[in-house]
Amino acid sequence: MTTTPTGLPPLSDDTVDRIEEAVFAQIAEERDTERAHTALTRRRARRRGWLTAGGVAAAFAVGVLVTPAILNATGAASSGSSAASAPYDTTPRPQSLSGVAKDMAPSSGGAASSAGGSAPSTNEARDVIRTGSATVQVDDVRKAADALAALAKKHGGFVESQQIGSAQGPVATDGGIVPPPSGDGWVTLRVPVADLDAVMDALREQGTVLATSIGTNDVTTATTDLRAQIDSLTASVTRLTQLMSQATSVSDLLTAETALTDRQSQLQSAQQQLKDLESQVAMSSVQVTLVREAPAAADPAGFGDGLAAGWKGLIVSLNALVIALGFLLPWLALALVVALIVWAIVRTRRARRTRRAIAGSMQAAETEPEPEPQKP
């Protein structure tokens, strides 16, 4: 029986045990609830972390995949808008030239693309390069080359290049300079495009025409682009010259001068390209290959010719035999060495066998008992 303070009803041991069990059960329940809440909080925090990491990774992937396309589209739109706008402004500007001279004129590629956008109509005259080539068989290559030079001069053209005979050129000797021997060669003519067909027809007068061909190449787009570039660069040079006269500082002057030098270089290059194309359009190139007629081979018609042909055949056969013998000689020497080695090995083995047989027979003879004498 447990003693209780004065004024409180006495409690039995069973009651105290029940109270303790209830208190301990409540404490255990509160601990379980707290543990479950802590675990749930941790799971939620972990889930938030994974979701955050996944969102960051997805955003990064989207940025990597989408950003270049957006930048390209933005750049194309900005370049298109800048190309559509007027590239030059003739109004004098007193402000600084820093950054202005650089962007003052479009590049040659931009001019080409803008010019290429408007293709010439079919009614306009087109720039077409016509070229011809032929292979002519002649008796004398040098005379034929001189005749071709006269033909080109007759039609208002000239000889662009030629090669006759040996490619090494004239040879200096004691008797003076000797031209290379006459042989096959080629001649390149430049004639007006209107006379190309007449020149090709006139080649039949120089010898036997073995093959001919005429090619065309339409360069209208290229010449149109170059003319647009030249106009654009000319305006750019003019504008930069004005800006140099308005420069207020040394840095502005140097910037404009650098840009002007670059534009002038591009302008000269475009002008030279256009000049080359226009020259090819105006003057056709004709490549003529000259070959000599092959001499007729003499057939053996008598005993002497047959004997000479047989002697030549014998010499050729002997030469072939000597070459074959020289080719096989190292292999024959190697085969001889191998045969000697094999013969020596076989001979050594046979000698060993013979010695063993003789030794065995002698040993058998020694161990065999002598026969007893027969009694009479």
Side-chain angles (χ1 to χ4, degrees):
M1 198 61 159
T2 305
T3 59
T4 57
T6 308
L8 294 176
L11 298 176
S12 63
D13 293 337
D14 295 336
T15 303
V16 172
D17 292 339
R18 287 197 302 272
I19 293 173
E20 289 178 354
E21 290 177 359
V23 171
F24 290 153
Q26 185 176 1
I27 292 173
E29 185 178 357
E30 291 178 355
R31 286 182 178 177
D32 293 340
T33 303
E34 185 177 358
R35 288 176 181 174
H37 180 69
T38 303
L40 180 60
T41 303
R42 289 180 179 175
R43 285 197 297 269
R44 288 179 178 177
R46 193 179 297 110
R47 187 179 304 170
R48 290 195 194 97
W50 283 110
L51 290 176
T52 303
V56 172
F60 179 75
V62 171
V64 170
L65 296 176
V66 176
T67 301
I70 295 176
L71 292 178
N72 291 336
T74 306
S78 62
S79 62
S81 61
S82 62
S85 61
Y88 306 109
D89 186 8
T90 56
T91 305
R93 295 182 181 178
Q95 69 270 17
S96 173
L97 297 176
S98 300
V100 176
K102 250 191 264 189
D103 302 328
M104 215 273 313
S107 62
S108 59
S113 62
S114 62
S118 58
S121 63
T122 55
N123 295 330
E124 297 179 0
R126 307 190 65 84
D127 296 327
V128 179
I129 298 176
R130 299 187 66 202
T131 58
S133 63
T135 301
V136 183
Q137 190 177 47
V138 296
D139 296 333
D140 191 334
V141 175
R142 191 172 300 280
K143 291 182 179 179
D146 295 339
L148 290 176
L151 176 64
K153 185 177 181 180
K154 175 183 177 182
H155 289 273
F158 57 92
V159 177
E160 186 176 31
S161 61
Q162 71 175 7
Q163 176 182 322
I164 304 299
S166 176
Q168 63 184 2
V171 180
T173 60
D174 296 337
I177 299 179
V178 178
S182 179
D184 295 347
W186 50 264
V187 179
T188 302
L189 308 177
R190 295 295 298 274
V191 295
V193 64
D195 297 341
L196 175 61
D197 296 333
V199 171
M200 296 296 293
D201 293 338
L203 293 178
R204 297 186 178 91
E205 301 175 0
Q206 311 302 326
T208 303
V209 178
L210 302 179
T212 60
S213 65
I214 295 179
T216 59
N217 183 19
D218 192 343
V219 294
T220 306
T221 303
T223 55
T224 303
D225 292 345
L226 288 173
R227 293 187 182 100
Q229 292 180 29
I230 291 173
D231 295 340
S232 177
L233 291 171
T234 302
S236 177
V237 169
T238 303
R239 177 59 181 162
L240 284 172
T241 304
Q242 295 177 358
L243 291 177
M244 286 182 62
S245 63
Q246 300 171 6
T248 57
S249 63
V250 177
S251 62
D252 292 346
L253 183 61
L254 292 177
T255 302
E257 185 177 1
T258 302
L260 178 61
T261 303
D262 180 62
R263 295 297 184 271
Q264 288 177 343
S265 176
Q266 296 179 12
L267 177 60
Q268 292 176 0
S269 176
Q271 289 175 344
Q272 184 61 39
Q273 294 177 22
L274 180 61
K275 181 179 178 181
D276 294 341
L277 287 178
E278 289 178 345
S279 175
Q280 296 177 25
V281 170
M283 300 289 289
S284 296
S285 176
V286 182
Q287 178 78 31
V288 183
T289 302
L290 302 174
V291 295
R292 290 183 301 175
E293 295 181 357
D299 296 330
F303 177 78
D305 294 334
L307 181 61
W311 178 256
K312 291 181 180 179
L314 178 62
I315 296 299
V316 171
S317 300
L318 290 178
N319 288 335
L321 181 61
V322 170
I323 293 173
L325 182 61
F327 177 78
L328 294 176
L329 187 60
W331 298 95
L332 294 176
L334 180 61
L336 179 61
V337 172
V338 173
L340 289 175
I341 294 174
V342 173
W343 177 77
I345 293 174
V346 172
R347 184 177 180 182
T348 303
R349 289 184 176 180
R350 287 180 179 177
R352 288 179 181 177
R353 292 176 182 176
T354 304
R355 286 196 298 268
R356 289 177 183 176
I358 293 173
S361 61
M362 291 178 61
Q363 186 177 3
E366 290 177 357
T367 56
E368 183 179 358
E370 296 181 358
E372 294 180 359
Q374 296 180 356
K375 294 181 180 182

